[in-house]
Amino acid sequence: MSKFIDDLRFQYRTGGVAQKLIFWNVGVSVLIFILQAFFSTLGSVVAGWIALSSDFISLLYKPWTLFTYAFAHAGPIHLILNMLVLFFVNRLFSTFFSDKQFLTLYIFGALLGGVFFLVGSQFLSTGGVLVGASAATIAPLIAVAVHAPMMQVRLALIGNVKMWHIAAFIILLDVIQLTTSNVGGHLAHLGGAVMGYVYVKLLENGSDLSSIFDKLSNLFKRSQGTKFKKVYVNNKVVKEENVDADNATQRQQKIDSILDKISKSGYESLTKEEKDFLFRAGK
């Protein structure tokens, strides 16, 4: 069991944003499934604090649900399908954009999808709650279609299709299904699609929404103050710095050697000492 957990930790640390999002989606959803199966009352309470309710009053004391709903799912099939789409979309998205931009669109796609669900619930029968990562994953998919509409994608049993064909089909399908029982879900999908379109158009005009997170992180950074110039050299300090530099070089060489071993023989080929070293290096 410990070996399995170590493998998961390694995969989480070395994976990109999409892989981390998959981990979080699976973790949150499976926890809810287990609680609902064995502790139904507790499971319902936890799900209620994560899912987005169509009741505006509920949003006032659970504002985080406007985003957390994108990590909960209605069942295992719902979870698996959304994670497959997330993985597929990320592969396409990474052709043109960065991991940070993917995360930005996932967040804003979920938020705008939730807004569409809430507003639509005032006019249509959308159902009580919204769960699922669909709106969050449709946002980067539409972004790719807007940025590179003629890009060819090969689909099983269908063959090559253009990105704009995929986007048009998804949007048309959601519009048609606004008359079905899952109105809220399809409204959320359309919200995610709008976010994907707006993001690319803003990017083309020189505005990258992902820079918002850089500005927010800068707010919490401590002021560096005025830096003083160094007016003398302490030989002892210089020697210590040289030793530290040598140690850092040796450490990096060892990491590179271990990673090279993983690429050739797999993670399981590592000794316990190498796994422990790699784990400590990742902290």
Side-chain angles (χ1 to χ4, degrees), residues 71-93:
F71 292 90
H73 291 80
I77 301 300
H78 187 209
L79 171 64
I80 292 171
L81 289 177
N82 272 341
M83 294 305 97
L84 288 174
V85 173
L86 194 158
F87 179 79
F88 170 74
V89 170
N90 177 254
R91 294 291 296 272
L92 296 175
F93 190 86

Side-chain angles (χ1 to χ4, degrees), residues 258-270 275:
I258 293 174
L259 293 177
D260 185 55
K261 186 175 180 181
I262 291 174
S263 66
K264 292 179 179 178
S265 307
Y267 181 72
E268 297 303 326
S269 65
L270 300 183
K275 289 182 180 179

Side-chain angles (χ1 to χ4, degrees), residues 17-19 22 83-99 102 137 140-141 144 151 153 163:
V17 165
Q19 187 161 311
I22 291 173
M83 294 305 97
L84 288 174
V85 173
L86 194 158
F87 179 79
F88 170 74
V89 170
N90 177 254
R91 294 291 296 272
L92 296 175
F93 190 86
S94 61
T95 305
F96 306 102
F97 307 102
S98 67
D99 268 2
F102 184 84
T137 55
L141 176 63
V144 174
M151 177 182 177
V153 179
M163 277 303 304

Side-chain angles (χ1 to χ4, degrees), residues 8-25:
L8 288 180
R9 286 177 177 173
F10 178 78
Q11 293 298 326
Y12 183 83
R13 289 198 309 272
T14 58
V17 165
Q19 187 161 311
K20 288 179 172 62
L21 288 171
I22 291 173
F23 268 77
W24 278 99
N25 272 277

Side-chain angles (χ1 to χ4, degrees), residues 108-178:
F108 281 105
L111 293 175
L112 192 58
V115 170
F116 267 54
F117 168 76
L118 287 171
V119 174
S121 66
Q122 308 308 304
F123 307 98
L124 301 170
S125 177
T126 58
V129 296
L130 176 68
V131 293
S134 301
T137 55
I138 283 177
L141 176 63
I142 298 301
V144 174
V146 174
H147 181 73
M150 306 307 290
M151 177 182 177
Q152 296 270 345
V153 179
R154 186 169 185 81
L155 299 179
L157 304 178
I158 297 176
N160 291 338
V161 294
K162 295 181 174 64
M163 277 303 304
W164 79 266
H165 291 157
I166 298 175
F169 176 77
I170 290 174
I171 294 173
L172 181 62
L173 199 62
D174 281 319
V175 171
I176 292 173
Q177 294 186 92
L178 287 177

